[in-house]
Amino acid sequence: QVQLVESGGGLAQPGGSLRLSCVANGLLLDYYDMGWFRQAPGKEREGVSCIDATDGSIYSHDSVKGRFTISRDVAANTVYLQLASLKPEDTAVYYCAARSKWRGTTVQAMCVETSDHWWGQGTQVTVSS
């Protein structure tokens, strides 16, 4: 059974930092692109940053480039999102996602599309002074 378990969300001040973790149970990161999505109230779920299963290449949304960093520990089946220089507009529920590499799509496609993904339960990130 596949389970993606996020943790690390919470309250941060503008300009602050958080580190999110996603433990992937039931799959191997060698074969699944991984990513982080977020959804604010009343808004569509959007891709934040994703990492390719094959070579670790990264795609990030323009709104977070230079501020958020995705990384992975393949041996630990864990993917991370380091959030820095946080802004109030970063407030959202952050979801870990996985997509099998058999689909042959790019990491960018994985991060733009929202279908055919495994999803975690989400972790709340709130940025407020």
Side-chain angles (χ1 to χ4, degrees):
Q1 181 176 347
V2 173
Q3 288 185 321
L4 306 178
V5 183
E6 304 100 328
S7 62
L11 177 65
Q13 295 183 344
S17 300
L18 289 171
R19 178 174 290 180
L20 309 182
S21 298
C22 171
V23 178
N25 298 309
L27 59 81
L28 298 177
L29 300 193
D30 304 81
Y31 308 122
Y32 288 82
D33 293 339
M34 302 294 297
W36 289 93
F37 291 67
R38 67 185 181 185
Q39 188 166 23
K43 295 186 177 181
E44 298 283 341
R45 187 171 298 189
E46 64 178 5
V48 175
S49 190
C50 300
I51 187 165
D52 186 83
T54 303
D55 60 6
S57 60
I58 293 169
Y59 169 84
S60 295
H61 193 274
D62 286 345
S63 65
V64 305
K65 286 183 177 178
R67 300 191 300 119
F68 295 1
T69 303
I70 191 171
S71 62
R72 62 177 181 169
D73 184 336
V74 175
N77 267 30
T78 303
V79 63
Y80 305 93
L81 186 67
Q82 179 69 47
L83 301 86
S85 302
L86 283 164
K87 305 174 181 179
E89 51 263 44
D90 294 320
T91 296
V93 177
Y94 283 70
Y95 296 91
C96 182
R99 192 182 194 181
S100 176
K101 205 61 183 177
W102 70 264
R103 300 186 182 278
T105 56
T106 64
V107 65
Q108 179 177 351
M110 188 270 177
C111 222
V112 171
E113 301 166 2
T114 57
S115 61
D116 298 317
H117 294 53
W118 293 101
W119 298 102
Q121 82 288 347
T123 184
Q124 177 71 45
V125 171
T126 301
V127 184
S128 176
S129 59

